[in-house]
Amino acid sequence: MNTLSYKTISANKETVNKKWVVVDATDQVLGRLGSKVAKILRGKYKPNFTPHVDCGDNVIIVNADKVKMTGNKWNEKIYLRYTGYPGGQREMTPAQLMAKPNGCDRLLRRVVKGMLPKGPLGAKLLNNLYVYAGNEHKHQAQNPEAIDINSFK
């Protein structure tokens, strides 16, 4: 067997084929939805996945306000942030976060951000995520393809 005839194909910005997909978050568990969306954003379901390149799809999440959490996590899970001042550690539950304006967008972005790589690539990938509380979105011109998130592993 001639091993010199095989070459590893590495994707770059010009060769990447990005699509637009719509994911319906109705009655989906938050963490499982977040991990699958992070994999789609990263491009892990594609055969030409390259770790250091943005080769994932653009994801539109609709009905984000209808997402579920198992157990009593709506009130018992705590998200921490720090203001930068002494004694400035603040905590918030997912229920409090959802009650704020744009709460479902902030909650889903926080969940997905934790599952993406840290650094400039992760920040760029997070910009490919669009979250909407209702059923309507403003990306009809991109002809997004509706996918069933339950069909992904």
Side-chain angles (χ1 to χ4, degrees):
M1 177 188 267
N2 185 3
T3 58
L4 295 176
S5 64
Y6 296 103
K7 292 188 178 180
T8 302
I9 298 171
S10 183
N12 58 21
K13 233 189 307 190
E14 290 78 30
T15 62
V16 168
N17 185 15
K18 294 176 75 74
K19 299 186 311 186
W20 285 77
V21 294
V22 176
V23 175
D24 189 8
T26 305
D27 293 333
Q28 296 289 328
V29 179
L30 180 66
R32 292 166 196 244
L33 173 73
S35 66
K36 291 174 185 177
V37 166
K39 278 186 169 183
I40 293 172
L41 284 170
R42 188 95 197 271
K44 288 226 168 183
Y45 292 116
K46 293 187 172 185
N48 62 344
F49 169 68
T50 307
H52 63 279
V53 177
D54 176 11
C55 54
D57 296 331
N58 296 305
V59 179
I60 304 164
I61 300 178
V62 293
N63 296 322
D65 54 344
K66 297 181 179 134
V67 77
K68 294 192 311 185
M69 287 180 121
T70 57
N72 198 18
K73 291 184 193 139
W74 280 114
N75 299 315
E76 290 181 358
K77 185 169 180 62
I78 294 175
Y79 292 124
L80 296 175
R81 66 182 177 87
Y82 181 60
T83 63
Y85 289 97
Q89 182 171 319
R90 305 285 187 253
E91 57 184 42
M92 188 175 286
T93 64
Q96 292 169 334
L97 191 58
M98 284 287 272
K100 289 186 173 283
N102 260 356
C104 55
D105 179 38
R106 293 159 99 187
L107 181 63
L108 270 158
R109 281 190 183 277
R110 182 177 197 128
V111 168
V112 172
K113 181 181 180 181
M115 299 177 189
L116 289 174
K118 310 310 180 252
L121 179 63
K124 187 176 180 191
L125 292 172
L126 196 61
N127 287 333
N128 295 334
L129 178 65
Y130 302 90
V131 182
Y132 296 98
N135 204 11
E136 300 294 319
H137 61 85
K138 59 181 183 180
H139 303 283
Q140 295 297 335
Q142 282 76 23
N143 296 325
E145 168 190 342
I147 59 169
D148 180 24
I149 198 71
N150 296 326
S151 65
F152 291 97
K153 279 209 170 228

